[in-house]
Structure formats: C-alpha cells, structure tokens
Amino acid sequence: MSEKEKLIEIKDLQITFGSGKKKFVAVDHVNFDIYKGETFSLVGESGSGKTTIGRAITRINPVSAGEILFKGQKISGKISKALDLEVIKKCQMIFQDPMASLNERAKVDYIVSEGLINHHLYKDEADRENKVQDALREVGLLPEFASRFPHEFSGGQRQRIGIARALIMQPEFVVADEPISALDVSIRAQVLNLLNELKQTKNLTYLFIAHDLSVVRFISDRIAVIHKGRIVELAEAEELFLHPFHPYTKALLSAVPIPDPDLEKKKKLIIYDPSIHDYTTDKPVWEEILPGHFVYGNQKELEQYRKEI
C-alpha cells in the first residue's frame, strides 16, 4: 500500500460539540487515509459522525483533537491564508440536500460561480461565463440553464447544479455527503454514474458518505463503517461484503435488500446490540486482522474474528 500517494490523512481525530455537562463527542479517535484517485466510503447510520468528518476536512467544522493532513500538510486548526485558499479550491463538498444547499434567490449562473467570484479566480466576465457553461455541460445540463432559478429544476437537476458548483473550482478531492439520499430512486443511478465519470475524466478523489451499504458497494474502492463516532471496520469494498467481522457491519449488511424474492424472504435481519461488547477490563484496539482489513475490538473479540477467517 505504501506506493500509493496519500491525499488525505486523518490522525486520531476527535470532534466535540458543546462543553461541560453538555459536551458531546461526535467523532472519537478516528484514523484513516484516503489515497489519490480512490473512492473512499464512510458508512453509518444517522448521527454516527460521518458528515461531521467530511465537514471537518473541508474546514466547516473545527477539530477538537488530532489532525487532518492534505498532501502532507496540516489543514486542521489555524493555518495560513494561502493554505486556506488552497483547501477551499482543492477540497470541495457536494451537499446532501439539493433543495437546501442552493440559494433560492440566486440564479444558477451565480450559484455555480460563487467560489470563483469570492476568490476572483477568473480573468474577466466572459471567462467566468464560459467556466459556468463548461461546468454545466460537464454535469449534463444545458448552458442556457445558467439564467434560471433553482426552483425551476427537479431534485436530480439541482444536485447536478451542486456538483457543477464543486467542480468549477477544479478540486482534487471531493466530499460527497450522501449526494443521492434526497433523490428519487430512478435518478440515483444517473447521479452515481455521473460522479464516477467525473472521477475518471477529472482525476478526482472522493470521500463518499452514505448510510446505505448497497449504494457504496459498486463505486467504492474501500469502505469504512462508523458507529457513534468510532470507525469499527475498514476494508476494500468486496472484502467487506464477503468477510464482515464486526457485528455492527453484519447488521448493516443484513439490511441490504437482495434482488431475489425467495432469498429476501429467508434473510435474517441482524439487530446490532452494543451491550454485547464488554470493554471494562479488556480494552478495544484498532487492529489489522487481514492485509488492509482493520477492525475495532478487544483481544477476546479479535481472537473470535480470526477464527472466522
């Protein structure tokens, strides 16, 4: 793995909200790397801290402890203005809800080019307009859509506008925060295919956030499963589906629908019960149980997982 270039490194990341008695640990000692050119998926149910991590990488959420590195440079906490601008340009985010993330009162032309305008990344007005039209074309929208307002578009089209807004900055790294969960099922595949095409043509690296494992299976290189702010398992996509170790991963996988009705009827839904872990004396660790396959557990659990190999 060492020959791969690490684009993002997350080291012992902790993110908390509130203080004193109201302090809430949203992300607890999370470690992972994202390699250049891969789609790294972070999967967990609502409230598990996955969006918080994505927002921390793009410097929307502050970090309480640990650090985030982009191309070997620390980008969490206080950084220089030049590096901040670099992160804004190179690390973009596609938001979950295309209804809420677009300014209703602005035309598409302004929405897409807002980043360019804020940081004056264009030569003149004609250059800015060309960039907007190119970005719209790249996501499969007509250039003349630039003069319209968001309410004139469907959910899928709005999400394409959101993707165009991220792409116009020519990023290297994109956080896709559940980009299809608010969309109609028929549109989801189109948007996923579009993201995959753009990854190839633009040489992008993705952090793909989702709560549904079936969505990420076909687009991910590696998948990390997060539960209550802690990553409990991390492996290559197919490996995770074939050999899940952690009970929480197994529970998530059991919820994935099977397209065969007979198998679907026989399928047992696994409910995850966190109380099965006894960490009072035997403390859990983050361990590589197979090459590239990490799992969180104490020694007793890890021994059990090794027997399953």
Side-chain angles (χ1 to χ4, degrees):
M1 288 300 243
S2 56
E3 73 277 6
K4 288 188 183 172
E5 186 190 333
K6 290 177 185 174
L7 195 67
I8 299 278
E9 295 168 69
I10 306 277
K11 296 186 173 179
D12 226 12
L13 185 68
Q14 204 169 5
I15 301 170
T16 55
F17 294 106
S19 57
K21 283 183 177 166
K22 290 193 173 148
K23 184 174 159 183
F24 172 69
V25 180
V27 176
D28 194 9
H29 297 294
V30 162
N31 290 280
F32 61 85
D33 299 327
I34 301 176
Y35 299 111
K36 192 168 173 54
E38 80 169 338
T39 298
F40 183 95
S41 290
L42 197 52
V43 180
E45 56 202 339
S46 298
S48 59
K50 51 194 191 300
T51 298
T52 308
I53 293 173
R55 292 171 81 98
I57 297 173
T58 51
R59 293 182 57 78
I60 299 171
N61 282 353
V63 168
S64 314
E67 52 185 21
I68 300 170
L69 305 181
F70 173 62
K71 291 182 164 176
Q73 280 187 295
K74 180 171 176 276
I75 58 165
S76 50
K78 279 202 161 68
I79 58 172
S80 71
K81 212 158 183 189
L83 184 56
D84 193 25
L85 181 60
E86 173 82 354
V87 174
I88 289 168
K89 287 200 305 212
K90 298 295 183 212
C91 303
Q92 282 288 313
M93 192 156 182
I94 299 164
F95 294 93
Q96 177 173 0
D97 184 357
M99 301 302 195
S101 65
L102 303 181
N103 180 351
E104 287 293 341
R105 292 199 286 276
K107 285 184 176 172
V108 168
D109 178 63
Y110 176 77
I111 291 171
V112 172
S113 62
E114 195 170 1
L116 297 182
I117 295 164
N118 288 347
H119 303 287
H120 209 83
L121 302 172
Y122 57 96
K123 292 197 275 294
D124 51 32
E125 189 56 22
D127 181 39
R128 187 190 66 78
E129 281 176 14
N130 283 338
K131 283 184 164 155
V132 170
Q133 294 186 354
D134 286 347
L136 290 174
R137 273 195 206 96
E138 276 167 351
V139 297
L141 294 174
L142 295 168
E144 49 264 35
F145 285 0
S147 59
R148 296 191 191 168
F149 289 94
H151 68 81
E152 298 177 56
F153 297 98
S154 67
Q157 287 173 320
R158 281 168 177 248
Q159 195 53 295
R160 286 169 189 262
I161 294 166
I163 296 168
R165 172 174 62 184
L167 282 184
I168 202 163
M169 301 296 282
Q170 296 185 313
E172 289 178 44
F173 176 70
V174 175
V175 177
D177 182 12
E178 301 213 25
I180 60 167
S181 64
L183 302 179
D184 203 56
V185 174
S186 58
I187 317 263
R188 287 181 179 186
Q190 290 176 18
V191 173
L192 281 181
N193 288 339
L194 171 67
L195 288 170
N196 247 350
E197 279 165 35
L198 292 167
K199 180 187 165 188
Q200 309 301 337
T201 55
K202 298 257 176 210
N203 207 4
L204 295 171
T205 304
Y206 287 136
L207 168 62
F208 196 96
I209 295 169
H211 61 263
D212 179 352
L213 268 167
S214 58
V215 165
V216 299
R217 179 173 193 170
F218 304 104
I219 60 158
S220 311
D221 296 291
R222 290 184 305 142
I223 300 172
V225 175
I226 186 167
H227 179 256
K228 297 217 163 134
R230 265 199 187 274
I231 292 186
V232 294
E233 192 157 0
L234 191 165
E236 288 191 356
E238 278 309 296
E239 164 70 19
L240 191 80
F241 274 81
L242 295 172
H243 306 120
F245 291 116
H246 199 278
Y248 180 64
T249 312
K250 290 178 177 173
L252 280 185
L253 282 169
S254 77
V256 172
I258 305 168
D260 182 322
D262 294 333
L263 289 174
E264 183 66 33
K265 272 188 207 136
K266 294 186 190 118
K267 185 180 80 172
K268 277 198 172 70
L269 197 64
I270 301 168
I271 308 294
Y272 176 57
D273 175 13
S275 68
I276 55 170
H277 306 289
D278 178 14
Y279 293 154
T280 41
T281 49
D282 189 359
K283 296 293 181 210
V285 288
W286 180 240
E287 184 129 339
E288 190 167 13
I289 198 161
L290 284 166
H293 192 150
F294 295 82
V295 69
Y296 181 69
N298 59 21
Q299 291 314 312
K300 187 181 165 203
E301 289 171 337
L302 293 171
E303 275 167 33
Q304 184 57 46
Y305 299 152
R306 285 197 179 94
K307 285 178 190 156
E308 293 173 25
I309 295 172

